[in-house]
């Protein structure tokens, strides 16, 4: 009797220990909630895989950009001659900023259009993060890739034209990065309009050529143009790469205006995107194409 009694508590203790171990195993096996860090890492890794798996497409984009620059440079030499040679530094810097701008703009607007066409838009909307943060991080990832490809284009342009520019990495990245943030906002607005009206690719592509006018805007003769996208940043980038001005040598007012224009257009584009996608939901045309 005593042996059975003593064995009873021991036999009940073992299942309790096994249950605790099982509960602990289940707790460790449960999926943890995804964070924005995981989202950013996944988006950047996806962009890297696309770049690695389809190198011909990436190289083709570089070749097309260099072809247009060659046509611009050789045609300008025939028509302008020495006048082009005197302004070649500004043309190289402006074309470099234009390639960055087109990449930032199309990274959002074209990507959203592709999601609508492929029928995968709803998957992004049903994520815990929402569609706008996913689209923004995808745009940032493509801007990083655009910086790399545009750097290759810039190096080839410098070698082909024999031009020498000041390439302070931190200053160039900060000024150029803030300059194209405003274009990222335009891409957001264009993406929202794409979700609502679907096939408007021709109008969206037309805006890319408007970047040329913004980059070459006469900000010194018309000070109000500084509040336009790219205009103020283009003037500052010219001073950085042509005149060798460093970031800390700019007046605080110029840096503040550059940051304010970038944030203003990004927030404005985000609001337009939210309003357009909200209207598309109410009309029931979110997944239509």
């Amino acid at each position: 009797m005593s042996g059975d009694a003593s064995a009873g508590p021991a036999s009940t203790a073992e299942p309790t220990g096994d249950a605790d171990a099982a509960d602990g195993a289940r707790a460790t096996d449960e999926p943890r909630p995804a964070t924005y860090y995981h989202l950013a890492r996944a988006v950047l890794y996806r962009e890297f895989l696309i770049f690695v798996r389809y190198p011909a497409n990436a190289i083709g984009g570089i070749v097309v950009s260099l072809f247009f620059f060659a046509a611009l440079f050789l045609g300008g030499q025939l028509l302008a001659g020495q006048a082009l040679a005197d302004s070649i530094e500004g043309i190289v810097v402006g074309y470099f900023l234009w390639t960055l701008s087109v990449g930032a703009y199309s990274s959002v607007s074209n990507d959203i259009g592709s999601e609508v066409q492929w029928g995968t838009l709803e998957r992004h909307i049903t994520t815990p993060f929402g569609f706008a943060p996913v689209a923004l991080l995808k745009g940032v990832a493509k801007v990083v890739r655009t910086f790399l490809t545009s750097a290759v284009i810039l190096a080839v342009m410098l070698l082909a034209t024999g031009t020498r520019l000041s390439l302070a990495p931190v200053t160039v990245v900060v000024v150029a990065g803030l300059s194209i943030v405003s274009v990222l906002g335009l891409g957001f607005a264009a993406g929202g309009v794409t979700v609502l009206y679907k096939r408007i690719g021709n109008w969206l592509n037309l805006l890319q050529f408007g970047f040329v006018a913004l980059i070459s805007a006469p900000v010194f003769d018309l000070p109000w143009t500084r509040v336009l996208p790219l205009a103020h940043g283009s003037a500052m980038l010219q001073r950085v790469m042509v005149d060798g001005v460093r970031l800390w040598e700019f007046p605080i007012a110029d840096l503040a205006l550059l940051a304010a224009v970038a944030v203003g257009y990004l927030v404005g584009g985000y609001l337009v995107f939210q309003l357009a996608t909200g209207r598309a939901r109410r009309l029931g045309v979110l997944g239509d194409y």
Side-chain angles (χ1 to χ4, degrees), residues 66 69-70 72-74 77 84-85 87-93 153-165:
L66 291 175
F69 177 76
L72 174 67
F73 178 67
L74 296 177
Q77 277 189 326
L84 178 70
S87 60
I88 188 60
E89 292 89 354
I91 293 176
V92 170
V93 175
I153 294 171
L154 176 63
V156 175
M157 288 191 298
L158 294 179
L159 291 175
T161 60
T163 305
R164 301 189 65 179
L165 296 174

Side-chain angles (χ1 to χ4, degrees), residues 25-283:
R26 283 195 297 269
T28 56
D29 292 339
E30 289 181 357
R32 292 175 297 177
T35 63
Y36 282 101
Y37 166 75
H38 297 97
L39 176 62
R41 187 177 64 179
V43 169
L44 287 171
Y45 183 65
R46 171 184 177 271
E47 197 64 30
F48 172 75
L49 286 181
I50 293 175
F51 184 81
V52 172
R53 290 180 179 177
Y54 306 101
N57 187 50
I59 295 173
I62 295 175
V63 171
V64 170
S65 297
L66 291 175
F67 173 79
F68 279 112
F69 177 76
L72 174 67
F73 178 67
L74 296 177
Q77 277 189 326
L78 293 175
L79 296 176
Q82 187 60 38
L84 178 70
D86 294 337
S87 60
I88 188 60
E89 292 89 354
I91 293 176
V92 170
V93 175
Y95 193 81
F96 168 68
L97 183 58
W98 183 76
T99 58
L100 285 175
S101 304
V102 171
Y105 170 75
S106 61
S107 66
V108 177
S109 60
N110 291 352
D111 194 66
I112 293 175
S114 299
E115 298 287 354
V116 174
Q117 187 175 5
W118 296 336
T120 56
L121 186 66
E122 293 86 350
R123 294 184 181 181
H124 294 295
I125 294 176
T126 55
T127 61
F129 307 100
F131 184 43
V134 174
L136 178 61
L137 285 175
K138 290 173 70 174
V140 171
K142 292 191 176 182
V143 166
V144 172
R145 188 187 69 175
T146 303
F147 255 105
L148 298 177
T149 56
S150 296
V152 175
I153 294 171
L154 176 63
V156 175
M157 288 191 298
L158 294 179
L159 291 175
T161 60
T163 305
R164 301 189 65 179
L165 296 174
S166 176
L167 300 176
V170 175
T171 304
V172 171
V173 169
V174 171
V175 174
L178 288 175
S179 299
I180 63 176
V181 165
S182 58
V183 180
L184 203 61
L186 295 180
F188 250 110
V193 175
T194 301
V195 172
L196 187 59
Y197 294 106
K198 314 308 177 187
R199 291 180 176 268
I200 57 171
N202 292 330
W203 291 102
L204 299 182
N205 293 332
L206 184 63
L207 184 59
Q208 297 180 12
F209 296 97
F211 295 158
V212 177
L214 293 173
I215 290 173
S216 58
V219 295
F220 297 106
D221 298 330
L222 299 174
W224 62 268
T225 58
R226 294 178 182 269
V227 298
L228 297 176
L230 293 176
H232 183 53
S234 176
M236 292 182 64
L237 192 62
Q238 292 280 351
R239 295 185 61 191
V240 169
M241 301 181 71
V242 177
D243 300 330
V245 179
R246 297 294 185 266
L247 186 64
W248 54 87
E249 296 175 347
F250 282 105
I252 297 297
D254 287 347
L255 295 175
L257 179 60
L258 180 65
V261 169
V263 173
Y265 279 96
L266 182 61
V267 172
Y270 184 86
L271 292 177
V272 171
F273 178 84
Q274 292 284 58
L275 292 174
T277 53
R279 179 171 175 77
R281 287 181 180 180
R282 291 191 298 272
L283 295 176

Side-chain angles (χ1 to χ4, degrees), residues 5-28:
S6 60
S11 61
T12 57
E14 290 180 359
T16 303
D18 293 342
D20 293 338
D23 292 338
R26 283 195 297 269
T28 56

